[in-house]
Amino acid sequence: MTFVERTPDPGTLESGPFQGVQSPDIAADIVTVGALDLDGEPDAWVPQAENVSYRPLIFNVSNGYFVNLLRVKRNGVLSRHQHTGAVHAFNLRGRWHYLEHDWWAEEGSYVYEPPGGTHTLEVPHGVEEMITLFHVTGAYVYVDVHGTPMAVEDACTKLARARRHYEEVGLGASYADRFVR
């Protein structure tokens, strides 16, 4: 990689857009202007449970991952789940933790969760709202306290829920398609 400290002459290797042929198999970019406007576009938030919703950023159904903002507007235990793939989380508002660990995801925290881990997410008393950006590879397998599977959530089930919601609020089910790759 070369870093150019000066303004290069147009037409040189150091400047200008790529002039070659892009592969026709590359999916279009997804650009969500205002993705981190946490208080904007209320209909973009998909209800998941009472006082729990998510705002999709991508449903990559072909590669088995999704990225969304998760919003929780209450305290208490949200879910107990096991990961089939790695999870990356950036906490943007509020705080949360897993009952199985002694760390806390405070505002501005980054969390990496390895595949196979089982966690019980809790938003503590005193937190009016928690919003975290999650990049989830694979699926969440929701389990009881003994690890018995109860439900599965992945890019496809999240997409289906989003399509139903967008249809109900008048945006149309196809509104979700902008996030599909």
Side-chain angles (χ1 to χ4, degrees):
M1 177 183 286
T2 303
F3 178 75
V4 179
E5 291 187 40
R6 59 179 169 72
T7 304
D9 295 329
T12 67
L13 293 177
E14 292 107 6
S15 69
F18 175 65
Q19 298 297 310
V21 177
Q22 296 282 3
S23 170
D25 300 319
I26 295 175
D29 296 343
I30 296 175
V31 178
T32 304
V33 176
L36 293 180
D37 178 4
L38 304 180
D39 301 311
E41 291 192 71
D43 287 342
W45 292 87
V46 179
Q48 186 164 321
E50 186 176 348
N51 294 310
V52 179
S53 58
Y54 63 92
R55 182 175 178 186
L57 299 175
I58 186 171
F59 299 115
N60 195 309
V61 296
S62 59
N63 288 303
Y65 71 86
F66 61 92
V67 179
N68 63 204
L69 297 168
L70 177 69
R71 170 183 274 159
V72 180
K73 290 186 171 185
R74 64 174 170 87
N75 65 306
V77 172
L78 177 63
S79 68
R80 183 180 307 98
H81 57 275
Q82 184 176 62
H83 302 288
T84 65
V87 174
H88 303 270
F90 298 88
N91 190 28
L92 305 172
R93 185 178 285 170
R95 63 194 300 251
W96 57 273
H97 75 121
Y98 289 129
L99 297 179
E100 296 79 10
H101 300 290
D102 61 359
W103 53 261
W104 284 86
E106 306 285 347
E107 285 187 22
S109 296
Y110 164 76
V111 176
Y112 168 76
E113 302 172 30
T118 303
H119 314 285
T120 308
L121 193 151
E122 179 188 41
V123 176
H125 289 284
V127 175
E128 293 181 20
E129 181 178 61
M130 178 277 279
I131 299 178
T132 300
L133 186 149
F134 282 100
H135 178 289
V136 178
T137 305
Y140 287 144
V141 179
Y142 293 103
V143 299
D144 67 14
V145 294
H146 303 291
T148 303
M150 300 171 66
V152 175
E153 181 176 70
D154 63 12
C156 295
T157 62
K158 299 285 273 189
L159 172 58
R161 183 187 298 265
R163 284 183 171 143
R164 286 191 304 272
H165 167 71
Y166 294 138
E167 185 66 30
E168 290 171 7
V169 298
L171 293 172
S174 63
Y175 183 85
D177 294 343
R178 69 186 64 211
F179 307 115
V180 177
R181 293 297 178 268

